[in-house]
Coordinates of all heavy atoms in Angstrom, one line a residue:
M75 N -41.5 -30.0 -37.7 CA -41.4 -30.9 -36.6 C -41.7 -30.3 -35.2 O -41.7 -29.1 -35.1 CB -40.0 -31.5 -36.6 CG -39.7 -32.3 -37.9 SD -38.2 -33.3 -37.8 CE -38.9 -34.7 -36.9
D76 N -42.1 -31.1 -34.3 CA -42.4 -30.7 -32.9 C -41.0 -30.5 -32.2 O -40.2 -31.5 -32.1 CB -43.2 -31.7 -32.2 CG -44.6 -31.9 -32.9 OD1 -45.1 -30.9 -33.4 OD2 -45.2 -32.9 -32.7
F77 N -40.9 -29.4 -31.5 CA -39.7 -29.1 -30.7 C -39.9 -29.2 -29.3 O -41.0 -28.8 -28.7 CB -39.2 -27.7 -31.1 CG -38.3 -27.6 -32.3 CD1 -38.9 -27.7 -33.6 CD2 -36.9 -27.5 -32.2 CE1 -38.1 -27.7 -34.7 CE2 -36.1 -27.4 -33.4 CZ -36.7 -27.5 -34.6
I78 N -38.9 -29.7 -28.5 CA -38.8 -29.6 -27.1 C -37.8 -28.5 -26.8 O -36.7 -28.6 -27.2 CB -38.4 -31.0 -26.5 CG1 -39.4 -32.0 -27.0 CG2 -38.3 -30.9 -25.0 CD1 -38.9 -33.4 -26.8
M79 N -38.2 -27.5 -25.9 CA -37.4 -26.4 -25.7 C -37.4 -26.1 -24.2 O -38.3 -26.5 -23.5 CB -38.0 -25.2 -26.4 CG -38.2 -25.3 -27.9 SD -36.8 -24.7 -28.8 CE -37.3 -22.9 -28.9
P80 N -36.3 -25.3 -23.8 CA -36.4 -24.8 -22.4 C -37.5 -23.8 -22.3 O -38.0 -23.2 -23.3 CB -35.0 -24.0 -22.3 CG -34.1 -24.6 -23.4 CD -35.1 -25.0 -24.5
P81 N -38.0 -23.5 -21.1 CA -39.1 -22.6 -20.9 C -38.7 -21.2 -21.4 O -37.6 -20.8 -21.5 CB -39.3 -22.6 -19.3 CG -38.7 -23.9 -18.9 CD -37.6 -24.1 -19.8
K82 N -39.8 -20.4 -21.7 CA -39.6 -19.0 -22.1 C -38.8 -18.3 -21.0 O -39.0 -18.5 -19.8 CB -40.9 -18.3 -22.3 CG -41.6 -18.8 -23.5 CD -42.9 -18.1 -23.7 CE -43.6 -18.6 -25.0 NZ -44.9 -18.0 -25.2
G83 N -37.9 -17.4 -21.4 CA -37.1 -16.6 -20.5 C -35.7 -17.2 -20.3 O -34.8 -16.5 -19.9
F84 N -35.5 -18.5 -20.7 CA -34.2 -19.0 -20.6 C -33.3 -18.6 -21.7 O -33.8 -18.6 -22.9 CB -34.3 -20.6 -20.5 CG -34.6 -21.1 -19.1 CD1 -35.9 -20.9 -18.6 CD2 -33.7 -21.8 -18.4 CE1 -36.2 -21.3 -17.3 CE2 -34.0 -22.3 -17.1 CZ -35.3 -22.1 -16.6
L85 N -32.0 -18.4 -21.5 CA -31.1 -18.0 -22.6 C -31.0 -19.0 -23.7 O -31.0 -18.7 -24.9 CB -29.8 -17.7 -22.0 CG -29.7 -16.4 -21.1 CD1 -28.3 -16.4 -20.4 CD2 -30.0 -15.1 -21.9
L86 N -31.0 -20.3 -23.3 CA -30.9 -21.3 -24.3 C -32.1 -21.3 -25.2 O -32.1 -21.5 -26.5 CB -30.7 -22.7 -23.7 CG -30.6 -23.9 -24.7 CD1 -29.5 -23.7 -25.7 CD2 -30.4 -25.2 -23.9
R87 N -33.3 -21.0 -24.7 CA -34.6 -20.9 -25.5 C -34.4 -19.8 -26.5 O -34.7 -20.0 -27.7 CB -35.8 -20.6 -24.6 CG -37.1 -20.2 -25.3 CD -37.8 -21.4 -25.8 NE -39.1 -21.0 -26.2 CZ -40.3 -21.5 -25.7 NH1 -40.3 -22.3 -24.7 NH2 -41.4 -21.1 -26.2
K88 N -33.8 -18.7 -26.1 CA -33.7 -17.5 -27.0 C -32.7 -17.9 -28.1 O -32.8 -17.4 -29.2 CB -33.3 -16.3 -26.2 CG -34.3 -15.7 -25.3 CD -33.9 -14.6 -24.4 CE -34.9 -14.2 -23.4 NZ -34.5 -13.1 -22.5
T89 N -31.6 -18.6 -27.7 CA -30.6 -19.0 -28.7 C -31.2 -19.9 -29.8 O -31.0 -19.6 -30.9 CB -29.5 -19.7 -28.0 OG1 -28.9 -18.8 -27.0 CG2 -28.4 -20.2 -28.9
V90 N -32.0 -20.9 -29.4 CA -32.6 -21.9 -30.3 C -33.6 -21.1 -31.2 O -33.6 -21.3 -32.4 CB -33.2 -23.0 -29.5 CG1 -34.0 -23.9 -30.5 CG2 -32.2 -23.8 -28.8
E91 N -34.4 -20.2 -30.6 CA -35.4 -19.5 -31.4 C -34.6 -18.6 -32.4 O -35.1 -18.4 -33.5 CB -36.2 -18.6 -30.5 CG -37.2 -19.4 -29.7 CD -38.0 -18.6 -28.7 OE1 -37.6 -17.5 -28.2 OE2 -39.1 -19.1 -28.3
A92 N -33.5 -18.0 -32.0 CA -32.8 -17.2 -33.0 C -32.2 -18.0 -34.2 O -32.3 -17.5 -35.3 CB -31.6 -16.5 -32.2
Y93 N -31.7 -19.2 -33.9 CA -31.3 -20.0 -35.0 C -32.4 -20.5 -35.9 O -32.3 -20.6 -37.1 CB -30.4 -21.2 -34.5 CG -29.1 -20.8 -34.0 CD1 -28.6 -21.0 -32.8 CD2 -28.2 -20.0 -34.9 CE1 -27.4 -20.6 -32.3 CE2 -27.0 -19.6 -34.5 CZ -26.6 -19.9 -33.2 OH -25.3 -19.5 -32.8
C94 N -33.6 -20.8 -35.3 CA -34.7 -21.2 -36.1 C -35.2 -20.0 -37.0 O -35.5 -20.3 -38.1 CB -35.8 -21.8 -35.2 SG -35.5 -23.3 -34.4
K95 N -35.2 -18.9 -36.4 CA -35.7 -17.7 -37.1 C -34.7 -17.5 -38.3 O -35.1 -17.2 -39.4 CB -35.7 -16.5 -36.2 CG -36.1 -15.2 -36.9 CD -36.2 -14.0 -35.9 CE -36.7 -12.8 -36.7 NZ -36.8 -11.6 -35.8
K96 N -33.4 -17.6 -38.1 CA -32.4 -17.5 -39.2 C -32.7 -18.5 -40.3 O -32.5 -18.3 -41.4 CB -31.0 -17.7 -38.6 CG -29.9 -17.3 -39.6 CD -28.6 -17.4 -38.9 CE -27.5 -17.2 -39.9 NZ -26.2 -17.3 -39.3
A97 N -33.2 -19.7 -39.9 CA -33.5 -20.7 -40.9 C -34.9 -20.6 -41.5 O -35.3 -21.3 -42.4 CB -33.5 -22.1 -40.2
G98 N -35.6 -19.5 -41.1 CA -36.9 -19.1 -41.7 C -38.1 -19.7 -41.1 O -39.2 -19.6 -41.7
F99 N -38.1 -20.1 -39.8 CA -39.3 -20.5 -39.2 C -39.3 -20.3 -37.7 O -38.3 -20.0 -37.1 CB -39.5 -22.0 -39.5 CG -38.6 -23.0 -38.8 CD1 -38.9 -23.6 -37.6 CD2 -37.3 -23.2 -39.3 CE1 -38.0 -24.4 -37.0 CE2 -36.4 -24.1 -38.7 CZ -36.8 -24.7 -37.5
T100 N -40.5 -20.4 -37.1 CA -40.7 -20.3 -35.7 C -40.9 -21.8 -35.2 O -41.9 -22.4 -35.7 CB -41.9 -19.4 -35.3 OG1 -41.6 -18.1 -35.8 CG2 -42.1 -19.4 -33.8
P101 N -40.2 -22.3 -34.3 CA -40.3 -23.7 -33.9 C -41.7 -23.9 -33.2 O -42.2 -23.1 -32.5 CB -39.2 -23.9 -32.9 CG -38.8 -22.6 -32.4 CD -39.1 -21.6 -33.5
K102 N -42.3 -25.0 -33.5 CA -43.6 -25.5 -32.9 C -43.2 -26.2 -31.6 O -42.8 -27.3 -31.6 CB -44.3 -26.4 -33.9 CG -45.7 -26.8 -33.3 CD -46.5 -27.5 -34.3 CE -45.9 -28.9 -34.6 NZ -46.8 -29.8 -35.4
V103 N -43.3 -25.5 -30.5 CA -42.9 -26.0 -29.2 C -44.1 -26.8 -28.6 O -45.2 -26.3 -28.4 CB -42.5 -24.9 -28.2 CG1 -42.1 -25.4 -26.9 CG2 -41.4 -24.0 -28.9
I104 N -43.8 -28.1 -28.3 CA -44.8 -28.9 -27.8 C -44.6 -29.3 -26.3 O -45.5 -29.7 -25.6 CB -45.1 -30.2 -28.6 CG1 -43.7 -30.9 -28.8 CG2 -45.6 -29.9 -30.0 CD1 -43.7 -32.2 -28.2
L105 N -43.3 -29.2 -25.9 CA -43.0 -29.5 -24.5 C -41.8 -28.5 -24.1 O -41.1 -28.1 -24.9 CB -42.5 -30.9 -24.3 CG -43.6 -32.0 -24.4 CD1 -42.8 -33.4 -24.6 CD2 -44.5 -32.0 -23.2
E106 N -41.8 -28.2 -22.8 CA -40.8 -27.3 -22.3 C -40.1 -28.0 -21.1 O -40.8 -28.5 -20.2 CB -41.3 -26.0 -21.8 CG -41.9 -25.1 -23.0 CD -42.4 -23.8 -22.5 OE1 -42.7 -23.7 -21.2 OE2 -42.5 -22.9 -23.3
S107 N -38.8 -28.0 -21.0 CA -38.0 -28.4 -19.9 C -36.6 -27.9 -20.0 O -36.1 -27.7 -21.1 CB -37.9 -30.0 -19.8 OG -37.1 -30.4 -18.7
D108 N -36.0 -27.6 -18.8 CA -34.6 -27.1 -18.8 C -33.7 -28.2 -18.2 O -32.5 -27.9 -17.9 CB -34.5 -25.8 -18.0 CG -34.8 -26.0 -16.5 OD1 -35.5 -26.9 -16.1 OD2 -34.2 -25.3 -15.7
N109 N -34.2 -29.4 -18.2 CA -33.5 -30.5 -17.6 C -33.0 -31.4 -18.7 O -33.8 -32.0 -19.4 CB -34.3 -31.3 -16.6 CG -33.6 -32.4 -16.0 OD1 -33.1 -33.4 -16.7 ND2 -33.5 -32.4 -14.7
P110 N -31.7 -31.6 -19.0 CA -31.2 -32.4 -20.1 C -31.7 -33.9 -20.0 O -32.0 -34.4 -21.1 CB -29.7 -32.4 -20.0 CG -29.5 -31.1 -19.2 CD -30.6 -30.9 -18.3
D111 N -31.8 -34.4 -18.8 CA -32.3 -35.8 -18.7 C -33.7 -35.9 -19.2 O -34.1 -36.9 -19.8 CB -32.1 -36.3 -17.3 CG -30.7 -36.4 -16.8 OD1 -29.8 -36.8 -17.6 OD2 -30.4 -36.1 -15.7
T112 N -34.6 -35.0 -18.7 CA -35.9 -35.0 -19.1 C -36.2 -34.8 -20.6 O -36.9 -35.5 -21.2 CB -36.7 -33.9 -18.3 OG1 -36.5 -34.1 -16.9 CG2 -38.2 -33.9 -18.6
V113 N -35.4 -33.8 -21.1 CA -35.5 -33.6 -22.5 C -35.1 -34.9 -23.3 O -35.8 -35.2 -24.3 CB -34.7 -32.4 -23.0 CG1 -34.5 -32.2 -24.5 CG2 -35.2 -31.1 -22.4
G114 N -34.0 -35.5 -22.9 CA -33.6 -36.7 -23.6 C -34.7 -37.8 -23.5 O -34.9 -38.5 -24.5
E115 N -35.3 -37.9 -22.4 CA -36.4 -39.0 -22.3 C -37.6 -38.6 -23.2 O -38.2 -39.5 -23.7 CB -36.8 -39.1 -20.8 CG -35.8 -39.9 -20.0 CD -35.5 -41.3 -20.6 OE1 -36.4 -42.0 -20.9 OE2 -34.3 -41.6 -20.6
F116 N -38.0 -37.3 -23.2 CA -39.0 -36.9 -24.1 C -38.7 -37.2 -25.6 O -39.6 -37.7 -26.3 CB -39.3 -35.4 -24.0 CG -40.0 -34.9 -22.8 CD1 -39.9 -33.6 -22.3 CD2 -40.8 -35.8 -22.0 CE1 -40.6 -33.2 -21.2 CE2 -41.5 -35.4 -20.9 CZ -41.3 -34.1 -20.5
I117 N -37.5 -37.0 -26.0 CA -37.1 -37.3 -27.3 C -37.1 -38.8 -27.5 O -37.6 -39.3 -28.6 CB -35.6 -36.7 -27.6 CG1 -35.7 -35.2 -27.6 CG2 -35.1 -37.2 -29.0 CD1 -34.3 -34.5 -27.6
R118 N -36.5 -39.5 -26.6 CA -36.5 -41.0 -26.7 C -37.9 -41.6 -26.9 O -38.1 -42.6 -27.6 CB -35.8 -41.6 -25.5 CG -35.6 -43.0 -25.5 CD -34.8 -43.5 -24.3 NE -34.7 -44.9 -24.3 CZ -34.3 -45.6 -23.3 NH1 -33.9 -45.0 -22.2 NH2 -34.1 -46.9 -23.4
A119 N -38.9 -41.0 -26.2 CA -40.3 -41.4 -26.3 C -40.9 -41.0 -27.6 O -42.1 -41.3 -27.9 CB -41.1 -40.8 -25.1
G120 N -40.3 -40.2 -28.5 CA -40.8 -39.8 -29.7 C -41.7 -38.6 -29.7 O -42.5 -38.4 -30.6
L121 N -41.6 -37.8 -28.6 CA -42.5 -36.7 -28.4 C -42.0 -35.5 -29.2 O -42.8 -34.5 -29.3 CB -42.7 -36.4 -27.0 CG -43.3 -37.5 -26.1 CD1 -43.3 -37.2 -24.6 CD2 -44.7 -37.8 -26.6
G122 N -40.8 -35.4 -29.6 CA -40.3 -34.2 -30.3 C -38.8 -34.3 -30.5 O -38.2 -35.3 -30.2
I123 N -38.2 -33.2 -31.0 CA -36.7 -33.1 -31.2 C -36.3 -31.9 -30.5 O -37.1 -31.1 -30.0 CB -36.4 -33.0 -32.7 CG1 -37.0 -31.8 -33.4 CG2 -36.9 -34.3 -33.5 CD1 -36.6 -31.5 -34.8
A124 N -35.0 -31.7 -30.4 CA -34.4 -30.6 -29.7 C -33.1 -30.2 -30.2 O -32.3 -31.1 -30.6 CB -34.3 -30.9 -28.2
L125 N -32.8 -28.9 -30.2 CA -31.5 -28.4 -30.6 C -30.8 -28.1 -29.2 O -31.3 -27.2 -28.4 CB -31.6 -27.1 -31.4 CG -30.4 -26.5 -31.9 CD1 -29.5 -27.4 -32.8 CD2 -30.7 -25.2 -32.7
V126 N -29.8 -28.8 -28.9 CA -29.2 -28.7 -27.5 C -27.7 -28.5 -27.6 O -27.1 -28.9 -28.6 CB -29.5 -30.0 -26.7 CG1 -31.0 -30.2 -26.6 CG2 -28.8 -31.2 -27.3
P127 N -27.1 -28.0 -26.5 CA -25.7 -27.9 -26.4 C -25.0 -29.2 -26.5 O -25.5 -30.2 -25.8 CB -25.4 -27.2 -25.1 CG -26.7 -26.4 -24.8 CD -27.8 -27.3 -25.4
Q128 N -24.0 -29.4 -27.3 CA -23.4 -30.6 -27.6 C -22.7 -31.3 -26.3 O -22.8 -32.5 -26.1 CB -22.3 -30.5 -28.6 CG -21.6 -31.7 -29.0 CD -20.6 -31.5 -30.1 OE1 -20.3 -30.4 -30.5 NE2 -20.1 -32.6 -30.7
M129 N -22.1 -30.5 -25.5 CA -21.3 -31.1 -24.4 C -22.1 -31.0 -23.1 O -22.2 -31.9 -22.4 CB -19.9 -30.5 -24.3 CG -19.1 -30.8 -25.5 SD -17.5 -30.1 -25.4 CE -16.8 -31.2 -24.2
T130 N -22.5 -29.8 -22.7 CA -23.1 -29.6 -21.4 C -24.5 -30.3 -21.3 O -25.0 -30.5 -20.2 CB -23.2 -28.1 -21.0 OG1 -23.9 -27.4 -22.0 CG2 -21.9 -27.5 -20.9
W131 N -25.1 -30.6 -22.4 CA -26.4 -31.3 -22.5 C -26.2 -32.7 -23.0 O -27.1 -33.3 -23.6 CB -27.4 -30.5 -23.3 CG -28.1 -29.4 -22.5 CD1 -27.5 -28.4 -21.9 CD2 -29.5 -29.2 -22.4 NE1 -28.4 -27.6 -21.3 CE2 -29.7 -28.1 -21.6 CE3 -30.6 -29.9 -22.8 CZ2 -30.9 -27.6 -21.3 CZ3 -31.8 -29.4 -22.5 CH2 -32.0 -28.3 -21.7
H132 N -25.1 -33.3 -22.7 CA -24.7 -34.6 -23.2 C -25.8 -35.7 -22.9 O -26.2 -36.5 -23.6 CB -23.4 -35.1 -22.7 CG -23.1 -36.5 -23.1 ND1 -22.8 -36.9 -24.3 CD2 -23.1 -37.6 -22.3 CE1 -22.6 -38.2 -24.3 NE2 -22.7 -38.6 -23.1
N133 N -26.4 -35.5 -21.6 CA -27.4 -36.5 -21.2 C -28.7 -36.5 -22.1 O -29.3 -37.5 -22.1 CB -27.8 -36.2 -19.7 CG -26.7 -36.6 -18.8 OD1 -25.7 -37.2 -19.2 ND2 -26.9 -36.4 -17.5
A134 N -29.0 -35.4 -22.7 CA -30.1 -35.4 -23.6 C -29.9 -36.2 -24.9 O -30.8 -36.6 -25.6 CB -30.5 -34.0 -24.1
Q135 N -28.6 -36.6 -25.1 CA -28.2 -37.3 -26.4 C -28.1 -38.8 -26.1 O -28.2 -39.5 -27.1 CB -26.9 -36.7 -26.9 CG -27.0 -35.2 -27.2 CD -25.7 -34.6 -27.4 OE1 -24.8 -35.1 -28.2 NE2 -25.4 -33.6 -26.6
I136 N -28.1 -39.2 -24.9 CA -27.9 -40.6 -24.6 C -29.2 -41.4 -25.1 O -30.3 -40.9 -24.8 CB -27.8 -40.8 -23.0 CG1 -26.4 -40.2 -22.6 CG2 -27.8 -42.3 -22.7 CD1 -26.2 -40.1 -21.1
H137 N -29.0 -42.5 -25.7 CA -30.1 -43.3 -26.3 C -30.9 -42.6 -27.4 O -32.0 -43.0 -27.7 CB -31.1 -43.8 -25.2 CG -30.4 -44.5 -24.1 ND1 -29.7 -45.7 -24.2 CD2 -30.3 -44.2 -22.8 CE1 -29.2 -46.0 -23.1 NE2 -29.5 -45.2 -22.2
N138 N -30.3 -41.5 -27.9 CA -30.9 -40.8 -29.0 C -29.9 -40.6 -30.1 O -28.8 -41.0 -30.0 CB -31.5 -39.4 -28.5 CG -32.7 -39.6 -27.6 OD1 -33.6 -40.2 -28.0 ND2 -32.5 -38.9 -26.4
V139 N -30.3 -39.9 -31.2 CA -29.4 -39.6 -32.3 C -29.1 -38.1 -32.3 O -30.0 -37.3 -32.4 CB -30.0 -40.1 -33.7 CG1 -29.2 -39.6 -34.8 CG2 -30.3 -41.5 -33.7

Side-chain angles (χ1 to χ4, degrees):
M75 298 194 78
D76 295 334
F77 276 74
I78 301 166
M79 302 266 272
K82 289 182 180 177
F84 280 68
L85 292 171
L86 181 56
R87 168 83 172 241
K88 292 175 184 177
T89 300
V90 173
E91 287 174 338
Y93 287 125
C94 289
K95 182 177 180 180
K96 187 175 177 183
F99 70 97
T100 299
K102 182 172 71 169
V103 180
I104 53 114
L105 289 168
E106 295 180 340
S107 175
D108 67 334
N109 182 300
D111 295 321
T112 302
V113 170
E115 286 303 314
F116 285 158
I117 295 168
R118 186 175 177 193
L121 299 174
I123 63 172
L125 183 61
V126 302
Q128 181 178 13
M129 295 182 75
T130 56
W131 278 54
H132 173 72
N133 286 356
Q135 301 164 55
I136 297 172
H137 305 297
N138 291 308
V139 175

